Amino acid sequence: MKTATRNKHTPLNQYVSFSQTPAAAGPDSDTTLEEVLPGPSVRDPANQVIAGEELESLVACLTSVLSELESRVPSLYLDGHSYEVIGERLECDTKTVDNALQRQAQGGHPPRLAGGEGLSGAGR
């Protein structure tokens, strides 16, 4: 009787086959679970190094184009902070925060000249 309650074969009896189509994929699908799951290339050290270098390059490019305010505002906003809280943290008004987010949402901002001034001559 003890062997019936040990459940040592339960994992084998409840396994999910990698070579069969998952139920969520539908009966007409030919994809297997093995094809859907990420493979070893995700953790490949070469891919991780390349992805890290690409991220560093992107950050460097954005840092050279964006002002300090423009680079910090979206980060704080995405963390869930309100315009008021962002303004307090960066010591600026909510309208400045709104303008920075609007420039980024539109995908553009005025070119910066030496000294951090835009073409309009107004400093940031």
Side-chain angles (χ1 to χ4, degrees):
M1 185 69 168
K2 186 176 183 177
T3 58
T5 59
R6 285 182 58 196
N7 295 326
K8 72 177 189 178
H9 295 295
T10 302
L12 293 174
N13 293 335
Q14 296 177 349
Y15 82 101
V16 176
S17 174
F18 288 126
S19 61
Q20 293 181 354
T21 303
D28 298 334
S29 177
D30 290 333
T31 58
T32 63
L33 190 57
E34 182 178 22
E35 294 168 344
V36 174
L37 293 175
S41 65
V42 172
R43 293 192 183 101
D44 183 21
N47 288 345
Q48 288 180 334
V49 169
I50 292 169
E53 289 174 354
E54 288 175 345
L55 180 61
E56 286 177 19
S57 175
L58 178 62
V59 169
C61 179
L62 289 175
T63 303
S64 68
V65 174
L66 300 176
S67 69
E68 182 180 347
L69 179 78
E70 288 173 327
S71 62
R72 293 184 63 197
V73 167
S75 175
L76 292 170
Y77 183 73
L78 290 174
D79 287 341
H81 298 292
S82 67
Y83 284 25
E84 291 81 15
V85 171
I86 296 170
E88 288 172 11
R89 284 194 178 186
L90 301 179
E91 299 176 357
C92 62
D93 21 314
T94 56
K95 184 61 180 169
T96 306
V97 172
D98 181 53
N99 289 342
L101 286 171
Q102 291 301 320
R103 281 191 299 272
Q104 294 206 351
Q106 294 169 358
H109 48 320
R112 290 187 351 197
L113 302 175
E117 294 182 358
L119 291 178
S120 64
R124 293 188 180 190

